[in-house]
Structures are given as C-alpha cells and as structure tokens.
Amino acid sequence: MTGCYIIYSPKLDKFYVGVTQENVQIRLMKHNSHFYGKNKFTATTSDWDIFLFIPTNDFAHATRIEKKIKSMKSAKYIRNLKKFPELLDRVVRCT
C-alpha cells in the first residue's frame, strides 16, 4: 500500500519519516534489519515501531506529505498529527 509512514525509536527518542509503495510492516522490518545499509539513520538502532501510517492513492501524494512533515522539523508536530485528526486531515488535503 502506498503511503507516508512515521516510525519511532524509543531508544533514540527520534522519529523517521518516509514513503513506501510496499506493505508498511515489510518496510519496518527492513529498517530494523538494516536492509538500507549500516550508514543510514535508521541503522543506528533496531527498535523502530510504526507511529503513524498515512495511506495515499499515489506515490507523488505520499512524497508531498513526507516533505510537508519533514519541513516542520518538529517531534511535537508529529505527535500532534496522531493526537489531532483534524491536523492530519489538513495535511493530507493541502498537499
């Protein structure tokens, strides 16, 4: 399923925002197994969990959502996306 995903590492207390066209559970497994390489940000730990998945109809829309979320540069903003559905709806509609 195509969409934008946010994963969270309790060990690092950090979020990672990405896009995928594959099953998000498979994508998570790849991050936790360092499939993308040892020098990538997600390779610093193996305790990533899915925090939020935003399904989209196409990859371009998922990429626009990813860029919007990353541009905010805020963990509080990411937490608020989950806490306040109207904020998430606004991001999805405006991108």
Side-chain angles (χ1 to χ4, degrees), residues 12-13 21 29 38 44 48 76 82:
L12 298 176
D13 192 26
Q21 290 183 301
M29 181 193 67
K38 294 179 184 177
T44 56
W48 296 103
K76 184 176 181 180
K82 192 171 185 179

Side-chain angles (χ1 to χ4, degrees), residues 1-5 18-22 53-66 92 95:
M1 174 177 258
T2 302
C4 178
Y5 65 93
V19 293
T20 188
Q21 290 183 301
E22 63 186 341
F53 179 72
I54 307 162
T56 61
N57 291 328
D58 58 70
F59 193 74
H61 189 207
T63 302
R64 289 192 304 273
I65 292 170
E66 175 195 31
V92 170
T95 55

Side-chain angles (χ1 to χ4, degrees), residues 6 19 27 30 32 34 40 44 48 51 56 59-64 70-71 79 90-94:
I6 302 171
V19 293
R27 187 66 164 219
K30 287 180 177 180
N32 281 325
H34 314 299
K40 300 294 182 183
T44 56
W48 296 103
F51 182 78
T56 61
F59 193 74
H61 189 207
T63 302
R64 289 192 304 273
K70 285 182 173 182
S71 74
R79 286 186 180 94
R90 195 172 346 147
V91 169
V92 170
R93 279 181 290 149
C94 293

Side-chain angles (χ1 to χ4, degrees), residues 39-50:
N39 297 324
K40 300 294 182 183
F41 174 72
T42 59
T44 56
T45 189
S46 298
D47 68 338
W48 296 103
D49 287 315
I50 296 171

